[in-house]
Amino acid sequence: MGYVAVQWNRAKYIYDAVLIAGVVLYLAVFTGIEVALHPPKNYLESIDVRIKALGTCAFLMLTIILCIGPLARLNPRFLPLLYNRRHFGVMMFLVACVHAWSMVEWFWLQGVLPSLVDELTNWPNYLKFIGFPYKTLGLLALIILLFMASTSHDYWLNLLGPPFWKAMHMAVYIAYGLVVMHVSLGALQGNRGLFLPILIGGSFAIVTALHLAAGWRGRAIDRGVALDAEGWVPVGPPQSIPDKRAKIVAAPGGERIAVFRDGDQVGALTNVCAHQNGPIGEGRIVDGLITCPWHGYQYQLKNGCAPPPFPEKLATYRVRLKDGIVEVDPRPLAAGTAAAIKVPLNA
Ligand code: HEM
Ligand code: FES
């Protein structure tokens, strides 16, 4: 299969413009307030302000990135944020780089760069709680973020395969943990008001709560429903599937199946998009095609095939109507097999 990059489009430009405007606005407001409260006396102190503004900005962006996934799972209104999340990640990495560079500049301007190296290689300090070389934790996080930003392009996704790529990108949680430690063992040790503890504590609480809530919701789907005697999974009356949307059910093995309805046509597909494992069942039917909520790949309801000339195909499932209830056979058919049916809507 050839590699086809997702093209630039108007929505992506708008997303990026809003992102850049948000970063600039945050940095301006943070710097304005910080300078008004504690006016810097010299250039070195103004670098301190920059380190704080950029560090908290990157941390806030990382928090938002981690919240987008579970939020979109809990409420489809957040799906537009999921779209193009990778640009958000790359931009956060750039902000974090300038934050780290500002600290190097701080040492460099005073001609004491070697003492930065001494600080990072003072091994006994790694056993201390107060005085731990917290910059190393930031550095490790930055290395992980660099790795992720540089492999975020679809080229790598295609080369490495979606399951491996996705697993690799779970390292963002390790980076987040390292940054929380970086701030807890560094800036939080100096008593400088409430903003930072609220930012770090609030972020940790929100990220954890959203992941637990989305996981709970996922478990409710995975627990599934009783199969009938022939092993088919009941979905519900046709009208219980929202028009142009899907209901997600779980096969006994845990595999999720998206059962879509387009008017009186009902069809079932794997819930896993061929592009990047996105949750197809959280998308909707646009212009007669099932559209993945993540990057807009499209598939036909009748057979799970992408419209020509695109080569992607999804596994489909047999569906039937029994006693007014749509049922799905959880044994997948070969990708691209036609399996949708017509259902009476006033049954
Ligand atoms: C090479 C990597 C890094 C270095 C050398 C570094 C260095 C520093 C330094 C020197 C401070 C100031 C500590 C203080 O004022 O006591 C700091 C604070 C901070 N850093 Fe980093 N950092 C790095 C990576 C990161 C990353 C990747 C993030 C977030 C994504 C981050 C987020 C923060 C935050 C939120 C603060 C607290 C800002 C404040 O004092 O208000 N840092 N960092
Ligand atoms: S995961 Fe990218 S379009 Fe579906």
Side-chain angles (χ1 to χ4, degrees):
M1 184 178 84
Y3 150 64
V4 185
V6 177
Q7 299 302 312
W8 279 92
N9 55 35
R10 195 168 161 267
K12 284 195 177 194
Y13 286 120
I14 293 177
Y15 193 108
D16 285 0
V18 171
L19 211 52
I20 293 172
V23 169
V24 171
L25 189 70
Y26 176 88
L27 294 177
V29 171
F30 185 101
T31 309
I33 295 177
E34 185 72 20
V35 167
L37 292 178
H38 316 282
K41 295 186 201 68
N42 50 41
Y43 186 62
L44 276 184
E45 286 194 12
S46 74
I47 295 185
D48 279 339
V49 176
R50 202 201 307 157
I51 290 178
K52 288 180 191 169
L54 291 159
T56 52
C57 181
F59 182 74
L60 206 60
M61 291 173 84
L62 185 55
T63 302
I64 297 172
I65 288 169
L66 293 181
C67 290
I68 290 176
L71 273 178
R73 199 133 278 164
L74 291 166
N75 190 329
R77 266 191 307 167
F78 291 100
L79 279 172
L81 285 177
L82 202 63
Y83 184 76
N84 235 11
R85 184 170 44 166
R86 282 183 277 177
H87 285 204
F88 210 138
V90 172
M91 207 162 306
M92 179 266 296
F93 167 71
L94 295 177
V95 173
C97 278
V98 189
H99 162 78
W101 163 254
S102 302
M103 189 226 40
V104 176
E105 191 191 347
W106 191 88
F107 278 81
W108 185 42
L109 280 179
Q110 299 174 88
V112 290
L113 260 186
S115 65
L116 173 60
V117 180
D118 289 346
E119 192 181 319
L120 299 182
T121 53
N122 188 336
W123 310 121
N125 277 351
Y126 283 91
L127 297 174
K128 293 183 186 161
F129 179 66
I130 308 279
F132 186 93
Y134 66 92
K135 293 184 184 99
T136 309
L137 299 168
L139 182 61
L140 289 174
L142 203 64
I143 292 171
I144 294 180
L145 297 176
L146 165 70
F147 187 63
M148 292 181 47
S150 49
T151 58
S152 70
H153 194 266
D154 264 4
Y155 170 80
W156 290 100
L157 173 67
N158 198 59
L159 192 78
L160 301 169
F164 184 74
W165 188 88
K166 193 103 194 148
M168 199 175 82
H169 277 239
M170 287 292 129
V172 68
Y173 290 99
I174 300 177
Y176 177 71
L178 286 167
V179 174
V180 170
M181 296 302 290
H182 165 68
V183 184
S184 304
L185 294 173
L188 275 183
Q189 302 285 334
N191 194 359
R192 290 198 319 236
L194 282 178
F195 175 69
L196 203 55
I198 291 175
L199 178 71
I200 305 297
S203 152
F204 194 72
I206 291 172
V207 168
T208 310
L210 281 176
H211 280 78
L212 287 176
W216 191 257
R217 169 110 177 244
R219 262 183 34 163
I221 295 174
D222 291 342
R223 227 180 283 133
V225 275
L227 305 183
D228 76 357
E230 295 157 79
W232 288 60
V233 182
V235 180
Q239 257 122 340
S240 71
I241 309 169
D243 193 23
K244 310 228 181 286
R245 286 198 173 268
K247 240 175 136 171
I248 301 172
V249 294
E255 165 87 4
R256 292 190 187 179
I257 303 171
V259 187
F260 273 93
R261 179 165 78 85
D262 188 3
D264 61 357
Q265 299 290 317
V266 170
L269 317 168
T270 169
N271 193 38
V272 183
C273 179
H275 176 221
Q276 199 195 322
N277 294 2
I280 278 286
E282 292 171 20
R284 54 173 146 171
I285 297 180
V286 179
D287 298 333
L289 293 166
I290 294 171
T291 306
C292 178
W294 281 16
H295 317 97
Y297 270 42
Q298 293 190 305
Y299 305 93
Q300 301 174 57
L301 174 66
K302 62 176 183 207
N303 56 14
C305 295
F310 300 105
E312 289 78 19
K313 283 180 193 167
L314 299 182
T316 54
Y317 294 82
R318 287 195 296 158
V319 274
R320 71 180 181 193
L321 193 70
K322 195 175 167 198
D323 302 329
I325 300 292
V326 173
E327 294 187 337
V328 55
D329 179 355
R331 287 153 288 211
L333 301 168
T337 308
I341 60 166
K342 196 172 159 139
V343 292
L345 285 182
N346 45 4

